[in-house]
Amino acid sequence: MIKFNISPVDKSQQEAITAKIDNLTKPKGSLGRLEELAARLCMIQKTLSPELRSPHNVLFAADHGIIEEGVSVSPKEVTWQQLSHFSKGGAGINFLCEQHGFRLVLVDAGVDYDIPAGHGIVDMKVGRGTKNFLYGPAMSIEEMNLCLERGAEIVEQIYRETGCNIISFGEMGSGNTSPSAIWMHLFTGIELEKCIGAGAGLDRPGIRHKYEVLAKAVSNYSGGDSIEAKIVWFGGYEMVMAMGAMLKSAELGMTIIVDGFIMTSVILAASQLYPDIMDYAIFGHQGDESGHKLMLDAMGVKALLHLDLRLGEGSGAVCAYPIIDSAVRMINNMDSFQSVNVTKYF
């Protein structure tokens, strides 16, 4: 398996960071989570004056064999149709990236369709969709490694060519809330039924059917106790590729803005292998998918926003970016009490 060298963030300047934030012209702690974010960015970047450079949102797309069991209202062809739509602009993630200054990178991780060249979509296809994990592993260990390597390669290229130091990840893949729910169940111990929601819009009977299918899939599992085995059995190509991208981002000292339910399950799985990845993660949005708050709580984190989004694509992460930008502007642009001769009033 590909290895990553992820170090915990440097906390040697923590006292100096706290002193700088506390001596800005405001009551101590009055800017709440902006102060927490600023401190996190300082530690990630090893500086008292952090900056945000060339934000990117990388969207990985792939298909899932489990969709054959009727666990999603979205037919499989929606994956490639939406990926093509993203490449032309006009989708949800397109206007958000344009609004907030993100470059959108589209990656075919394993779509069950031959997308023509020339559409600006990076071809990293590992296969034409995963196998149906109700009956066996979704992918091979070799495919998992290839996904990790290709996700890491995408981030390495972005970092080298643009100097990007803050990045978010999104996904497109009909049925991908199902593997995400199972990862959540396996890696948190939360009851499977509490991990399963409506996905793209299942009704109550549809959610019950989804639970029955996934419960049977879990009971059929015979892959062993290792984290890698569980990733291989239930994962999606786009999810494991995003995992490799997140791990490489942390290795490079980049800040990761985590999107909704699916990307949270991805970083949850990544953290089972490399716990220090959590030092580099800012959770952008608590989605509307049932179970997302439970997963965030189990990880001991809190999202910046709760807008009831369930679009995916990286939308919640990109929406959260201006708050992170505000934290940077706070620590860099606010005066200190000493610099303007204002008496501390707390």
Side-chain angles (χ1 to χ4, degrees):
M1 182 178 172
I2 181 175
K3 300 296 182 183
F4 296 89
N5 182 22
I6 300 174
S7 302
V9 295
D10 182 3
K11 297 182 179 180
S12 62
Q13 289 185 294
Q14 192 165 14
E15 188 175 326
I17 294 166
T18 300
K20 181 175 182 180
I21 292 171
D22 287 350
N23 282 287
L24 299 174
T25 49
K26 59 174 180 58
K28 184 177 178 180
S30 62
L31 282 175
R33 296 193 68 191
L34 294 186
E35 300 185 23
E36 174 191 324
L37 284 171
R40 170 73 67 89
L41 290 163
C42 287
M43 287 187 283
I44 291 173
Q45 297 183 16
K46 303 178 184 179
T47 179
L48 296 180
S49 301
E51 59 179 328
L52 305 179
R53 298 192 305 269
S54 188
H56 279 62
N57 183 65
V58 185
L59 193 158
F60 297 98
D63 282 305
H64 296 257
I66 193 64
I67 201 171
E68 298 166 7
E69 304 301 322
V71 296
S72 174
V73 296
S74 299
K76 185 169 64 174
E77 62 266 22
V78 169
T79 304
W80 74 260
Q81 290 170 352
Q82 274 292 81
L83 184 60
S84 177
H85 183 203
F86 300 145
S87 72
K88 298 169 185 174
I93 194 57
N94 295 105
F95 85 79
L96 289 169
C97 284
E98 181 179 358
Q99 179 184 3
H100 298 303
F102 276 67
R103 180 182 172 190
L104 177 62
V105 178
L106 304 172
V107 181
D108 176 2
V111 178
D112 188 11
Y113 187 82
D114 292 323
I115 297 173
H119 290 270
I121 298 169
V122 182
D123 183 6
M124 290 287 190
K125 192 191 293 285
V126 172
R128 294 180 65 117
T130 54
K131 296 180 178 63
N132 187 342
F133 60 66
L134 181 60
Y135 305 107
M139 67 184 77
S140 67
I141 190 72
E142 292 79 15
E143 288 175 322
M144 181 194 77
N145 273 306
L146 195 55
C147 286
L148 293 172
E149 290 169 2
R150 291 183 175 180
E153 180 184 339
I154 289 285
V155 169
E156 180 82 46
Q157 183 176 356
I158 290 169
Y159 178 82
R160 186 175 61 249
E161 293 181 357
T162 71
C164 169
N165 70 351
I166 185 163
I167 193 164
S168 60
F169 301 100
E171 38 59 42
M172 180 64 216
S174 295
N176 59 11
T177 59
S178 290
S180 299
I182 290 181
W183 277 5
M184 174 184 168
H185 165 64
L186 294 176
F187 299 139
T188 66
I190 295 171
E191 295 173 41
L192 179 62
E193 192 164 10
K194 294 181 179 179
C195 302
I196 294 171
L202 288 170
D203 57 15
R204 190 178 296 275
I207 295 172
R208 186 65 198 175
H209 171 71
K210 182 177 177 180
Y211 166 70
E212 291 169 352
V213 169
L214 299 190
K216 186 176 179 181
V218 171
S219 70
N220 289 345
Y221 175 68
S222 59
D225 292 332
S226 74
I227 302 302
E228 293 89 343
K230 294 169 184 176
I231 290 171
V232 163
W233 195 285
F234 296 109
Y237 292 140
E238 85 281 27
M239 295 165 66
V240 181
M241 206 169 286
M243 186 186 306
M246 289 179 180
L247 289 166
K248 175 56 71 171
S249 298
E251 181 179 88
L252 293 171
M254 301 165 73
T255 301
I256 304 163
I257 316 175
V258 183
D259 190 40
F261 181 70
I262 293 157
M263 288 297 103
T264 301
S265 76
V266 168
I267 200 164
L268 169 64
S271 71
Q272 306 303 296
L273 298 169
Y274 295 91
D276 288 328
I277 192 176
M278 296 295 289
D279 283 359
Y280 300 86
I282 294 171
F283 289 78
H285 179 258
Q286 179 189 314
D288 195 38
E289 180 69 7
S290 176
H292 192 195
K293 184 179 186 303
L294 291 176
M295 180 160 45
L296 293 169
D297 289 346
M299 298 169 73
V301 297
K302 185 178 179 182
L304 295 176
L305 301 174
H306 184 187
L307 302 178
D308 295 332
L309 307 181
R310 52 184 177 89
L311 178 64
E313 304 172 12
S315 53
V318 176
C319 277
Y321 178 77
I323 298 174
I324 302 169
D325 186 35
S326 292
V328 170
R329 292 171 186 267
M330 177 203 76
I331 196 168
N332 288 334
N333 298 352
M334 279 187 73
D335 292 322
S336 67
F337 286 108
Q338 295 92 332
S339 68
V340 291
N341 294 318
V342 171
T343 300
K344 280 189 180 182
Y345 54 98
F346 60 87

